[in-house]
Amino acid sequence: MDKSTDLSETPRTEASFTTVPIEITVSVGRARPIVRDLLQLEEGSVLVLDKRVEDPVELYVGDRLIATGVLEITETGENHGQLCVRLVDVNDFGNTHG
């Protein structure tokens, strides 16, 4: 194998890797309208989801479920009034060190 593509010999720099931002998607529910109803949507329309406000939400990185949580509104601090997720169950990805 060409040395330029052999990543197994590249020194690990965990400090730099852990500073890479990732995007987490929070799934609050799904809607399954028929096409006719979808085409009639306009500003102000209501799309009913399959979950209630108090139901758990799912957190994904890409298509991988990483945690579940509940929606909350921050009560204090600079993010006061902002929607947030309190984690209630985080998947165990095992020990990634060593």
Side-chain angles (χ1 to χ4, degrees), residues 13-87:
T13 54
E14 288 188 29
S16 63
F17 176 73
T18 60
T19 62
V20 175
I22 61 168
E23 183 171 296
I24 297 175
T25 301
V26 178
S27 175
V28 298
R30 297 184 188 275
R32 291 185 177 80
I34 60 173
V35 174
R36 178 180 60 235
D37 294 340
L38 182 65
L39 294 173
Q40 293 175 355
L41 291 176
E42 57 187 33
E43 187 174 327
S45 295
V46 174
L47 191 59
V48 178
L49 302 178
D50 63 351
K51 292 195 177 183
R52 302 175 72 76
V53 170
E54 60 273 1
D55 287 345
V57 297
E58 298 170 329
L59 289 79
Y60 292 90
V61 171
D63 62 354
R64 185 170 187 174
L65 178 66
I66 62 163
T68 57
V70 293
L71 295 176
E72 293 186 0
I73 303 292
T74 56
E75 299 291 330
T76 59
E78 71 179 56
N79 294 325
H80 176 74
Q82 194 162 351
L83 187 61
C84 63
V85 177
R86 180 172 305 279
L87 301 181

